[in-house]
Amino acid sequence: MELVKCDHAAHIIESLKYGILSEDIDRKIISANSEFINILNIPLKRENLIGLDCTLLADQVKYLYKNQNYFLNFINSCIENKKTINAEFELTNNRFVDITYIPYIHENQFLGHNWCFNDVTEETKNKKALKEKDSFYKNILNFIPADIAVFDADHKYLFINEYAIKDNNLREWLIGKTDFDYCNYRNINNDLAIFRKEQFNIAKTKKAAHSWEDRKINNEGETEVILRVLNPFLNESNNVEMVIGYGLDITKSKSNELHILREATKNKILLDNLKQTIFELTSDGKTISLNPAWLKLSGKTIKTSLDIDFVQFILEEEKQNIFIEYLTNSSKKELNLKFTLPTELINKVIKGFFSKTFDENNNVNSIWGTLIDETEKDNYQNNLINLVKKEQELNELKTRFVHMVSHEVRTPLAGILSSIELLEILNTTIPKKLKDNNYRHFSRIKSQILRISDLMNNVLLLGKIESGNFKANIEETDIIDKINTLLNENFNFDSESKIKFIYTGNPYFVLLDWKLIYHVIVNLLSNSIKYTKSSKKPEIHANFETKDFKLSIKDYGIGIPEKEIQNLFNPFSRASNVENISGTGLGLILVKSLVELNNGKIDIISKENVGSTFTITFNNE
Amino acid sequence: MLALPSQLHLIMNRREMKRIALIEDNYYFSKNLEHLLVLNNYTIDIYRTMQRAEVLMLDHKPDLIICDINLPDGIGNSIIQKIRKNKFYHFTPIIVLTGTIDVNINELFDLGVSKVFFKPTRFEILNSAITRLLTRKNGYEITDFFYKPFHKIFDILKLK
């Protein structure tokens, strides 16, 4: 070996970034460069390595390598095969070395072993990182729940993700192929490929995204809708370099769309068929929509009524002002307004309801509302009011009439009566025979006058009670005192035959309206006297019991036939045995009404030719 | 005879002939009633309208007033109110004689009416009420207007 060449070579070997280890045939180290020591972190100097037996060394250094067996196997196979070969190893210090074995063969003679160590840590790391990134993006693309494919400018597959094709082999096979190849492979017709190619060309020509909806029926017979998009990727010279295609399953949103559409249609049908007018206005009161009921209500077509200020449909100025105020006042959300809608035929009374809808910023979006035709209702109301007024007027008229008649009849009666009374007095001066005759006539006239008066009183009183205006003024009454006074004032003038008043039990004040009961007792007593032929006077019995108070007027008169007792309280009814005793037939019905007004009840017990007892019962609870 | 004070003179007259004011617009009835009352020793003044009554009653103060409440120039209770307003008639008993049944009797009594009769009323009933009211009034008057000594004078003079 020439010295110069050796030095040159040694220098090169020393300067190389490779660790170089040379061994002779016996595996003894001839030389090792510094880099070798650096890479393997050997704590020895170069000079000290020379002469060491690598066979032994291998064993000693194997701990440097993560996979010791692998390393040893490699060394051994290299030694055996004596062929240039390299392999990569990971060191325990996390560095990577690439070891190349170069056998020193010169002129077909094996002269030694050479090992070339290359620190490939960085490269390995980069490779690894790259690989990781690669698989990272691949994973993303594979896991996105959408078909993703990348095509080159000729519509050949550059990439297709796992979601689109699950079969890994098919996926790999597809790279570099077209849809036509796919169709051939799958033995299906080319229609799909032709269609896709068309879309691809559109996208390529547009140089912009292009989309369409793919519809297909899945295994369960349901329609699936996929939105397919082709997005061309342009390079610097604005040519299509790649096209990215993806498909989104929009079945759900489509069905939602359909659902919404159906609902909207339903609503529209509803609105169209409603009898009530429903409308929508802009935030400043212009009509934007009206349902068909509007035509019936206003006589105007929807077309002519759109984009019109709603104020124009309000007749009254003050109502217009109220509406305008509602529009402009932001604090008013709803409005109920009764107004008149002028139409061709008649003006309609409308009850309108308005409601503002707001957007996210609380500004008025639109106003919707309803209109109800209240013209009829209004008319009915007015009619009703008029009828009531008329009835009130009639009532007033009736009352005034009654008053007038009452007064106009009574005053002449009073005149007649007083004349008769004067005649009676003047009568004293004429001869007795004439006197008796005259008295007879005077009595008759007087009784007839009083009869007319009584009848009038009864009729008027009955009328008052029937009209429901009459109310009893019920108070606690000292009935004993009252009855005594009554008897003294009206009946017991003749001190010989008096009407007896007998009471039993512990007296208490009875709740009744004496003015009415006075009338009742007077009436009943008058009846008793009238219908008694004998001289036996009637009697009043009063029973003060704890539960109730009973007042009985008992007479010993002609009595009432049993069958007719109940009928007696009917107007104008008189029993068949009254013969020529006069009576109007109204007294008892008035008595009954008055008793009932006092919360009492009246009963009759009677026997013909024996007598009658009328009993009034007042509850004491 | 002793010189009697003028008041005593009037009282003497009054005790003999009571004065009744009849406020009624119906001619025939009022005439009849006047006749009947005169036969019973009363002096009657008839007033056909409220206005007339208000003015003329002052000159002839009545001991009792019989009043209809349906006069041409007055309606119902306002007539009674007018009478009662006047202090002159504060103690004068009022009998209301009316043809209308729709009178509020309670209101009338509250206004100071002593008795309410509805036309037609028999005269004897009316008369007994008048007598009763005037007797009572008599009693009041004596104690109101006179000192006790005058009672003795009346007894001495044997005046009825």
PDB file of all heavy atoms in Angstrom, chain A residues 403 406-407 410-411 414-415 417-419 421-422 425 453 460 464 515, chain B residues 26 29 32 35-36 39 68 70 99-102 106 119-123:
ATOM      1  N   HIS A 403    -151.912  54.661  36.366  1.00  0.00           N
ATOM      2  CA  HIS A 403    -152.076  55.775  37.301  1.00  0.00           C
ATOM      3  C   HIS A 403    -153.233  56.669  36.902  1.00  0.00           C
ATOM      4  O   HIS A 403    -154.064  57.065  37.718  1.00  0.00           O
ATOM      5  CB  HIS A 403    -150.798  56.635  37.318  1.00  0.00           C
ATOM      6  CG  HIS A 403    -149.739  56.036  38.161  1.00  0.00           C
ATOM      7  ND1 HIS A 403    -148.616  56.713  38.523  1.00  0.00           N
ATOM      8  CD2 HIS A 403    -149.635  54.827  38.722  1.00  0.00           C
ATOM      9  CE1 HIS A 403    -147.855  55.956  39.257  1.00  0.00           C
ATOM     10  NE2 HIS A 403    -148.459  54.795  39.395  1.00  0.00           N
ATOM     11  N   SER A 406    -156.516  54.998  37.316  1.00  0.00           N
ATOM     12  CA  SER A 406    -156.804  54.915  38.730  1.00  0.00           C
ATOM     13  C   SER A 406    -157.341  56.250  39.242  1.00  0.00           C
ATOM     14  O   SER A 406    -158.413  56.322  39.831  1.00  0.00           O
ATOM     15  CB  SER A 406    -155.524  54.519  39.471  1.00  0.00           C
ATOM     16  OG  SER A 406    -155.703  54.695  40.843  1.00  0.00           O
ATOM     17  N   HIS A 407    -156.571  57.279  38.981  1.00  0.00           N
ATOM     18  CA  HIS A 407    -156.979  58.586  39.483  1.00  0.00           C
ATOM     19  C   HIS A 407    -158.295  59.049  38.878  1.00  0.00           C
ATOM     20  O   HIS A 407    -159.187  59.555  39.581  1.00  0.00           O
ATOM     21  CB  HIS A 407    -155.868  59.605  39.191  1.00  0.00           C
ATOM     22  CG  HIS A 407    -156.126  60.936  39.802  1.00  0.00           C
ATOM     23  ND1 HIS A 407    -156.518  62.028  39.075  1.00  0.00           N
ATOM     24  CD2 HIS A 407    -156.058  61.336  41.094  1.00  0.00           C
ATOM     25  CE1 HIS A 407    -156.668  63.068  39.884  1.00  0.00           C
ATOM     26  NE2 HIS A 407    -156.399  62.669  41.118  1.00  0.00           N
ATOM     27  N   ARG A 410    -161.201  57.005  40.289  1.00  0.00           N
ATOM     28  CA  ARG A 410    -161.449  57.155  41.720  1.00  0.00           C
ATOM     29  C   ARG A 410    -162.062  58.496  42.097  1.00  0.00           C
ATOM     30  O   ARG A 410    -162.917  58.576  42.989  1.00  0.00           O
ATOM     31  CB  ARG A 410    -160.134  56.996  42.477  1.00  0.00           C
ATOM     32  CG  ARG A 410    -159.703  55.577  42.520  1.00  0.00           C
ATOM     33  CD  ARG A 410    -158.266  55.516  43.020  1.00  0.00           C
ATOM     34  NE  ARG A 410    -157.869  54.126  43.088  1.00  0.00           N
ATOM     35  CZ  ARG A 410    -158.162  53.336  44.106  1.00  0.00           C
ATOM     36  NH1 ARG A 410    -158.836  53.799  45.116  1.00  0.00           N
ATOM     37  NH2 ARG A 410    -157.773  52.088  44.082  1.00  0.00           N
ATOM     38  N   THR A 411    -161.584  59.513  41.477  1.00  0.00           N
ATOM     39  CA  THR A 411    -162.094  60.834  41.885  1.00  0.00           C
ATOM     40  C   THR A 411    -163.604  60.967  41.627  1.00  0.00           C
ATOM     41  O   THR A 411    -164.338  61.388  42.540  1.00  0.00           O
ATOM     42  CB  THR A 411    -161.312  61.949  41.172  1.00  0.00           C
ATOM     43  OG1 THR A 411    -159.922  61.673  41.301  1.00  0.00           O
ATOM     44  CG2 THR A 411    -161.632  63.297  41.761  1.00  0.00           C
ATOM     45  N   ALA A 414    -165.319  59.073  44.243  1.00  0.00           N
ATOM     46  CA  ALA A 414    -165.368  59.810  45.503  1.00  0.00           C
ATOM     47  C   ALA A 414    -166.474  60.850  45.474  1.00  0.00           C
ATOM     48  O   ALA A 414    -167.214  61.043  46.467  1.00  0.00           O
ATOM     49  CB  ALA A 414    -164.008  60.468  45.769  1.00  0.00           C
ATOM     50  N   GLY A 415    -166.612  61.501  44.306  1.00  0.00           N
ATOM     51  CA  GLY A 415    -167.676  62.488  44.167  1.00  0.00           C
ATOM     52  C   GLY A 415    -169.058  61.859  44.352  1.00  0.00           C
ATOM     53  O   GLY A 415    -169.910  62.386  45.084  1.00  0.00           O
ATOM     54  N   LEU A 417    -169.824  59.024  45.838  1.00  0.00           N
ATOM     55  CA  LEU A 417    -170.013  58.547  47.200  1.00  0.00           C
ATOM     56  C   LEU A 417    -170.395  59.695  48.136  1.00  0.00           C
ATOM     57  O   LEU A 417    -171.328  59.590  48.942  1.00  0.00           O
ATOM     58  CB  LEU A 417    -168.733  57.854  47.686  1.00  0.00           C
ATOM     59  CG  LEU A 417    -168.832  57.235  49.082  1.00  0.00           C
ATOM     60  CD1 LEU A 417    -169.893  56.153  49.114  1.00  0.00           C
ATOM     61  CD2 LEU A 417    -167.495  56.669  49.501  1.00  0.00           C
ATOM     62  N   SER A 418    -169.644  60.792  48.010  1.00  0.00           N
ATOM     63  CA  SER A 418    -169.930  61.914  48.918  1.00  0.00           C
ATOM     64  C   SER A 418    -171.327  62.490  48.648  1.00  0.00           C
ATOM     65  O   SER A 418    -172.013  62.897  49.584  1.00  0.00           O
ATOM     66  CB  SER A 418    -168.854  62.980  48.800  1.00  0.00           C
ATOM     67  OG  SER A 418    -168.653  63.333  47.454  1.00  0.00           O
ATOM     68  N   SER A 419    -171.735  62.495  47.388  1.00  0.00           N
ATOM     69  CA  SER A 419    -173.101  62.966  47.090  1.00  0.00           C
ATOM     70  C   SER A 419    -174.134  62.079  47.758  1.00  0.00           C
ATOM     71  O   SER A 419    -175.112  62.574  48.334  1.00  0.00           O
ATOM     72  CB  SER A 419    -173.342  62.978  45.579  1.00  0.00           C
ATOM     73  OG  SER A 419    -172.787  64.115  45.000  1.00  0.00           O
ATOM     74  N   GLU A 421    -173.699  60.304  50.377  1.00  0.00           N
ATOM     75  CA  GLU A 421    -173.671  60.513  51.826  1.00  0.00           C
ATOM     76  C   GLU A 421    -174.443  61.775  52.196  1.00  0.00           C
ATOM     77  O   GLU A 421    -175.148  61.814  53.204  1.00  0.00           O
ATOM     78  CB  GLU A 421    -172.215  60.574  52.312  1.00  0.00           C
ATOM     79  CG  GLU A 421    -171.570  59.177  52.279  1.00  0.00           C
ATOM     80  CD  GLU A 421    -170.070  59.200  52.465  1.00  0.00           C
ATOM     81  OE1 GLU A 421    -169.408  60.202  52.097  1.00  0.00           O
ATOM     82  OE2 GLU A 421    -169.539  58.197  52.991  1.00  0.00           O
ATOM     83  N   LEU A 422    -174.316  62.784  51.363  1.00  0.00           N
ATOM     84  CA  LEU A 422    -175.087  64.002  51.620  1.00  0.00           C
ATOM     85  C   LEU A 422    -176.581  63.744  51.477  1.00  0.00           C
ATOM     86  O   LEU A 422    -177.379  64.205  52.289  1.00  0.00           O
ATOM     87  CB  LEU A 422    -174.642  65.113  50.657  1.00  0.00           C
ATOM     88  CG  LEU A 422    -173.351  65.804  51.054  1.00  0.00           C
ATOM     89  CD1 LEU A 422    -172.829  66.672  49.931  1.00  0.00           C
ATOM     90  CD2 LEU A 422    -173.590  66.654  52.305  1.00  0.00           C
ATOM     91  N   ILE A 425    -177.980  62.267  54.463  1.00  0.00           N
ATOM     92  CA  ILE A 425    -178.214  63.240  55.541  1.00  0.00           C
ATOM     93  C   ILE A 425    -179.481  64.059  55.250  1.00  0.00           C
ATOM     94  O   ILE A 425    -180.336  64.262  56.130  1.00  0.00           O
ATOM     95  CB  ILE A 425    -176.991  64.158  55.711  1.00  0.00           C
ATOM     96  CG1 ILE A 425    -175.785  63.305  56.179  1.00  0.00           C
ATOM     97  CG2 ILE A 425    -177.293  65.268  56.686  1.00  0.00           C
ATOM     98  CD1 ILE A 425    -174.481  64.054  56.186  1.00  0.00           C
ATOM     99  N   SER A 453    -164.593  50.238  43.615  1.00  0.00           N
ATOM    100  CA  SER A 453    -163.321  50.646  44.199  1.00  0.00           C
ATOM    101  C   SER A 453    -162.484  49.446  44.601  1.00  0.00           C
ATOM    102  O   SER A 453    -161.301  49.358  44.300  1.00  0.00           O
ATOM    103  CB  SER A 453    -163.617  51.519  45.420  1.00  0.00           C
ATOM    104  OG  SER A 453    -162.430  51.985  45.966  1.00  0.00           O
ATOM    105  N   LEU A 460    -155.439  46.357  40.355  1.00  0.00           N
ATOM    106  CA  LEU A 460    -154.180  47.101  40.277  1.00  0.00           C
ATOM    107  C   LEU A 460    -153.108  46.449  41.135  1.00  0.00           C
ATOM    108  O   LEU A 460    -151.955  46.319  40.728  1.00  0.00           O
ATOM    109  CB  LEU A 460    -154.413  48.549  40.709  1.00  0.00           C
ATOM    110  CG  LEU A 460    -155.266  49.336  39.713  1.00  0.00           C
ATOM    111  CD1 LEU A 460    -155.740  50.643  40.324  1.00  0.00           C
ATOM    112  CD2 LEU A 460    -154.483  49.606  38.447  1.00  0.00           C
ATOM    113  N   LYS A 464    -149.648  44.705  39.930  1.00  0.00           N
ATOM    114  CA  LYS A 464    -148.343  45.093  40.470  1.00  0.00           C
ATOM    115  C   LYS A 464    -147.563  43.869  40.917  1.00  0.00           C
ATOM    116  O   LYS A 464    -146.379  43.733  40.647  1.00  0.00           O
ATOM    117  CB  LYS A 464    -148.580  46.014  41.656  1.00  0.00           C
ATOM    118  CG  LYS A 464    -147.741  47.249  41.624  1.00  0.00           C
ATOM    119  CD  LYS A 464    -148.052  48.080  42.844  1.00  0.00           C
ATOM    120  CE  LYS A 464    -147.099  49.250  42.937  1.00  0.00           C
ATOM    121  NZ  LYS A 464    -147.313  50.013  44.134  1.00  0.00           N
ATOM    122  N   LYS A 515    -148.687  45.586  56.276  1.00  0.00           N
ATOM    123  CA  LYS A 515    -149.577  46.275  55.338  1.00  0.00           C
ATOM    124  C   LYS A 515    -150.288  45.277  54.426  1.00  0.00           C
ATOM    125  O   LYS A 515    -151.447  45.439  54.078  1.00  0.00           O
ATOM    126  CB  LYS A 515    -148.784  47.266  54.477  1.00  0.00           C
ATOM    127  CG  LYS A 515    -148.299  48.443  55.259  1.00  0.00           C
ATOM    128  CD  LYS A 515    -148.024  49.641  54.374  1.00  0.00           C
ATOM    129  CE  LYS A 515    -147.528  50.808  55.195  1.00  0.00           C
ATOM    130  NZ  LYS A 515    -146.246  50.524  55.854  1.00  0.00           N
TER     131      LYS A 515
ATOM    132  N   ASN B  26    -160.713  68.762  42.181  1.00  0.00           N
ATOM    133  CA  ASN B  26    -161.980  68.299  41.589  1.00  0.00           C
ATOM    134  C   ASN B  26    -163.160  69.075  42.187  1.00  0.00           C
ATOM    135  O   ASN B  26    -163.359  69.082  43.408  1.00  0.00           O
ATOM    136  CB  ASN B  26    -162.131  66.801  41.848  1.00  0.00           C
ATOM    137  CG  ASN B  26    -163.379  66.243  41.226  1.00  0.00           C
ATOM    138  OD1 ASN B  26    -164.506  66.488  41.690  1.00  0.00           O
ATOM    139  ND2 ASN B  26    -163.217  65.510  40.138  1.00  0.00           N
ATOM    140  N   PHE B  29    -166.385  66.935  43.923  1.00  0.00           N
ATOM    141  CA  PHE B  29    -166.033  66.234  45.149  1.00  0.00           C
ATOM    142  C   PHE B  29    -165.737  67.237  46.268  1.00  0.00           C
ATOM    143  O   PHE B  29    -166.154  67.052  47.414  1.00  0.00           O
ATOM    144  CB  PHE B  29    -164.827  65.316  44.889  1.00  0.00           C
ATOM    145  CG  PHE B  29    -164.301  64.636  46.113  1.00  0.00           C
ATOM    146  CD1 PHE B  29    -165.122  63.758  46.828  1.00  0.00           C
ATOM    147  CD2 PHE B  29    -163.049  64.897  46.594  1.00  0.00           C
ATOM    148  CE1 PHE B  29    -164.662  63.137  47.964  1.00  0.00           C
ATOM    149  CE2 PHE B  29    -162.590  64.268  47.740  1.00  0.00           C
ATOM    150  CZ  PHE B  29    -163.390  63.391  48.441  1.00  0.00           C
ATOM    151  N   ASN B  32    -168.925  68.677  47.661  1.00  0.00           N
ATOM    152  CA  ASN B  32    -169.623  67.705  48.509  1.00  0.00           C
ATOM    153  C   ASN B  32    -168.955  67.575  49.860  1.00  0.00           C
ATOM    154  O   ASN B  32    -169.624  67.568  50.906  1.00  0.00           O
ATOM    155  CB  ASN B  32    -169.650  66.329  47.813  1.00  0.00           C
ATOM    156  CG  ASN B  32    -170.745  66.234  46.770  1.00  0.00           C
ATOM    157  OD1 ASN B  32    -171.610  67.126  46.689  1.00  0.00           O
ATOM    158  ND2 ASN B  32    -170.723  65.172  45.995  1.00  0.00           N
ATOM    159  N   HIS B  35    -169.604  70.468  52.047  1.00  0.00           N
ATOM    160  CA  HIS B  35    -170.950  70.393  52.603  1.00  0.00           C
ATOM    161  C   HIS B  35    -171.002  69.458  53.800  1.00  0.00           C
ATOM    162  O   HIS B  35    -171.527  69.780  54.862  1.00  0.00           O
ATOM    163  CB  HIS B  35    -171.912  69.917  51.515  1.00  0.00           C
ATOM    164  CG  HIS B  35    -173.352  70.223  51.852  1.00  0.00           C
ATOM    165  ND1 HIS B  35    -174.310  70.322  50.877  1.00  0.00           N
ATOM    166  CD2 HIS B  35    -173.978  70.432  53.033  1.00  0.00           C
ATOM    167  CE1 HIS B  35    -175.481  70.592  51.442  1.00  0.00           C
ATOM    168  NE2 HIS B  35    -175.286  70.658  52.761  1.00  0.00           N
ATOM    169  N   LEU B  36    -170.443  68.266  53.628  1.00  0.00           N
ATOM    170  CA  LEU B  36    -170.455  67.271  54.696  1.00  0.00           C
ATOM    171  C   LEU B  36    -169.717  67.792  55.930  1.00  0.00           C
ATOM    172  O   LEU B  36    -170.153  67.588  57.063  1.00  0.00           O
ATOM    173  CB  LEU B  36    -169.802  65.967  54.196  1.00  0.00           C
ATOM    174  CG  LEU B  36    -170.635  65.141  53.224  1.00  0.00           C
ATOM    175  CD1 LEU B  36    -169.781  64.083  52.526  1.00  0.00           C
ATOM    176  CD2 LEU B  36    -171.799  64.472  53.957  1.00  0.00           C
ATOM    177  N   LEU B  39    -171.654  70.469  57.779  1.00  0.00           N
ATOM    178  CA  LEU B  39    -172.707  69.854  58.591  1.00  0.00           C
ATOM    179  C   LEU B  39    -172.154  69.360  59.918  1.00  0.00           C
ATOM    180  O   LEU B  39    -172.885  69.143  60.867  1.00  0.00           O
ATOM    181  CB  LEU B  39    -173.344  68.679  57.838  1.00  0.00           C
ATOM    182  CG  LEU B  39    -174.223  69.066  56.663  1.00  0.00           C
ATOM    183  CD1 LEU B  39    -174.681  67.824  55.910  1.00  0.00           C
ATOM    184  CD2 LEU B  39    -175.456  69.840  57.149  1.00  0.00           C
ATOM    185  N   ASP B  68    -155.053  66.550  48.514  1.00  0.00           N
ATOM    186  CA  ASP B  68    -154.877  65.553  47.455  1.00  0.00           C
ATOM    187  C   ASP B  68    -153.459  65.719  46.931  1.00  0.00           C
ATOM    188  O   ASP B  68    -152.951  66.842  46.860  1.00  0.00           O
ATOM    189  CB  ASP B  68    -155.899  65.791  46.337  1.00  0.00           C
ATOM    190  CG  ASP B  68    -155.872  64.692  45.293  1.00  0.00           C
ATOM    191  OD1 ASP B  68    -154.950  63.841  45.310  1.00  0.00           O
ATOM    192  OD2 ASP B  68    -156.766  64.673  44.435  1.00  0.00           O
ATOM    193  N   ASN B  70    -152.493  65.017  43.912  1.00  0.00           N
ATOM    194  CA  ASN B  70    -152.451  65.117  42.448  1.00  0.00           C
ATOM    195  C   ASN B  70    -153.049  66.415  42.017  1.00  0.00           C
ATOM    196  O   ASN B  70    -154.170  66.479  41.545  1.00  0.00           O
ATOM    197  CB  ASN B  70    -153.234  63.956  41.816  1.00  0.00           C
ATOM    198  CG  ASN B  70    -152.314  63.008  41.097  1.00  0.00           C
ATOM    199  OD1 ASN B  70    -151.336  63.427  40.513  1.00  0.00           O
ATOM    200  ND2 ASN B  70    -152.630  61.740  41.157  1.00  0.00           N
ATOM    201  N   GLY B  99    -156.315  59.669  44.922  1.00  0.00           N
ATOM    202  CA  GLY B  99    -156.899  58.715  43.983  1.00  0.00           C
ATOM    203  C   GLY B  99    -155.881  57.732  43.443  1.00  0.00           C
ATOM    204  O   GLY B  99    -156.218  56.700  42.884  1.00  0.00           O
ATOM    205  N   THR B 100    -154.600  58.036  43.569  1.00  0.00           N
ATOM    206  CA  THR B 100    -153.591  57.127  43.019  1.00  0.00           C
ATOM    207  C   THR B 100    -153.210  56.096  44.060  1.00  0.00           C
ATOM    208  O   THR B 100    -153.030  56.418  45.237  1.00  0.00           O
ATOM    209  CB  THR B 100    -152.332  57.895  42.621  1.00  0.00           C
ATOM    210  OG1 THR B 100    -152.044  58.812  43.680  1.00  0.00           O
ATOM    211  CG2 THR B 100    -152.542  58.649  41.343  1.00  0.00           C
ATOM    212  N   ILE B 101    -153.072  54.865  43.606  1.00  0.00           N
ATOM    213  CA  ILE B 101    -152.681  53.835  44.566  1.00  0.00           C
ATOM    214  C   ILE B 101    -151.157  53.737  44.674  1.00  0.00           C
ATOM    215  O   ILE B 101    -150.614  53.127  45.568  1.00  0.00           O
ATOM    216  CB  ILE B 101    -153.213  52.441  44.194  1.00  0.00           C
ATOM    217  CG1 ILE B 101    -152.631  52.018  42.830  1.00  0.00           C
ATOM    218  CG2 ILE B 101    -154.706  52.420  44.168  1.00  0.00           C
ATOM    219  CD1 ILE B 101    -152.584  50.508  42.677  1.00  0.00           C
ATOM    220  N   ASP B 102    -150.481  54.355  43.734  1.00  0.00           N
ATOM    221  CA  ASP B 102    -149.033  54.201  43.719  1.00  0.00           C
ATOM    222  C   ASP B 102    -148.343  55.248  44.574  1.00  0.00           C
ATOM    223  O   ASP B 102    -147.381  55.870  44.174  1.00  0.00           O
ATOM    224  CB  ASP B 102    -148.524  54.300  42.275  1.00  0.00           C
ATOM    225  CG  ASP B 102    -147.287  53.451  42.102  1.00  0.00           C
ATOM    226  OD1 ASP B 102    -147.094  52.525  42.924  1.00  0.00           O
ATOM    227  OD2 ASP B 102    -146.525  53.706  41.169  1.00  0.00           O
ATOM    228  N   ASN B 106    -145.046  55.188  53.175  1.00  0.00           N
ATOM    229  CA  ASN B 106    -144.005  55.407  54.177  1.00  0.00           C
ATOM    230  C   ASN B 106    -143.381  56.785  54.047  1.00  0.00           C
ATOM    231  O   ASN B 106    -143.148  57.485  55.038  1.00  0.00           O
ATOM    232  CB  ASN B 106    -142.913  54.344  54.040  1.00  0.00           C
ATOM    233  CG  ASN B 106    -143.385  53.013  54.572  1.00  0.00           C
ATOM    234  OD1 ASN B 106    -144.154  52.980  55.531  1.00  0.00           O
ATOM    235  ND2 ASN B 106    -142.948  51.936  53.943  1.00  0.00           N
ATOM    236  N   LYS B 119    -159.372  57.527  47.813  1.00  0.00           N
ATOM    237  CA  LYS B 119    -160.731  57.771  47.310  1.00  0.00           C
ATOM    238  C   LYS B 119    -161.244  56.521  46.635  1.00  0.00           C
ATOM    239  O   LYS B 119    -160.474  55.840  45.958  1.00  0.00           O
ATOM    240  CB  LYS B 119    -160.685  58.880  46.247  1.00  0.00           C
ATOM    241  CG  LYS B 119    -160.271  60.210  46.741  1.00  0.00           C
ATOM    242  CD  LYS B 119    -160.349  61.197  45.568  1.00  0.00           C
ATOM    243  CE  LYS B 119    -159.533  62.418  45.856  1.00  0.00           C
ATOM    244  NZ  LYS B 119    -159.352  63.239  44.683  1.00  0.00           N
ATOM    245  N   PRO B 120    -162.474  56.192  46.735  1.00  0.00           N
ATOM    246  CA  PRO B 120    -163.440  56.855  47.612  1.00  0.00           C
ATOM    247  C   PRO B 120    -163.427  56.301  49.027  1.00  0.00           C
ATOM    248  O   PRO B 120    -163.298  55.103  49.227  1.00  0.00           O
ATOM    249  CB  PRO B 120    -164.768  56.520  46.934  1.00  0.00           C
ATOM    250  CG  PRO B 120    -164.523  55.201  46.282  1.00  0.00           C
ATOM    251  CD  PRO B 120    -163.072  55.137  45.945  1.00  0.00           C
ATOM    252  N   THR B 121    -163.514  57.185  49.991  1.00  0.00           N
ATOM    253  CA  THR B 121    -163.576  56.719  51.385  1.00  0.00           C
ATOM    254  C   THR B 121    -164.908  57.155  51.981  1.00  0.00           C
ATOM    255  O   THR B 121    -165.344  58.294  51.758  1.00  0.00           O
ATOM    256  CB  THR B 121    -162.436  57.334  52.200  1.00  0.00           C
ATOM    257  OG1 THR B 121    -161.209  57.030  51.565  1.00  0.00           O
ATOM    258  CG2 THR B 121    -162.423  56.805  53.616  1.00  0.00           C
ATOM    259  N   ARG B 122    -165.476  56.301  52.719  1.00  0.00           N
ATOM    260  CA  ARG B 122    -166.732  56.671  53.369  1.00  0.00           C
ATOM    261  C   ARG B 122    -166.524  57.826  54.315  1.00  0.00           C
ATOM    262  O   ARG B 122    -165.523  57.865  55.041  1.00  0.00           O
ATOM    263  CB  ARG B 122    -167.297  55.468  54.119  1.00  0.00           C
ATOM    264  CG  ARG B 122    -167.925  54.474  53.148  1.00  0.00           C
ATOM    265  CD  ARG B 122    -168.026  53.084  53.725  1.00  0.00           C
ATOM    266  NE  ARG B 122    -168.788  53.065  54.962  1.00  0.00           N
ATOM    267  CZ  ARG B 122    -168.616  52.183  55.930  1.00  0.00           C
ATOM    268  NH1 ARG B 122    -167.679  51.280  55.808  1.00  0.00           N
ATOM    269  NH2 ARG B 122    -169.350  52.238  57.014  1.00  0.00           N
ATOM    270  N   PHE B 123    -167.449  58.715  54.331  1.00  0.00           N
ATOM    271  CA  PHE B 123    -167.265  59.946  55.073  1.00  0.00           C
ATOM    272  C   PHE B 123    -167.138  59.716  56.574  1.00  0.00           C
ATOM    273  O   PHE B 123    -166.381  60.393  57.251  1.00  0.00           O
ATOM    274  CB  PHE B 123    -168.417  60.937  54.793  1.00  0.00           C
ATOM    275  CG  PHE B 123    -168.256  62.205  55.555  1.00  0.00           C
ATOM    276  CD1 PHE B 123    -167.282  63.129  55.205  1.00  0.00           C
ATOM    277  CD2 PHE B 123    -169.048  62.461  56.681  1.00  0.00           C
ATOM    278  CE1 PHE B 123    -167.111  64.291  55.927  1.00  0.00           C
ATOM    279  CE2 PHE B 123    -168.888  63.637  57.397  1.00  0.00           C
ATOM    280  CZ  PHE B 123    -167.909  64.555  57.041  1.00  0.00           C
TER     281      PHE B 123
END
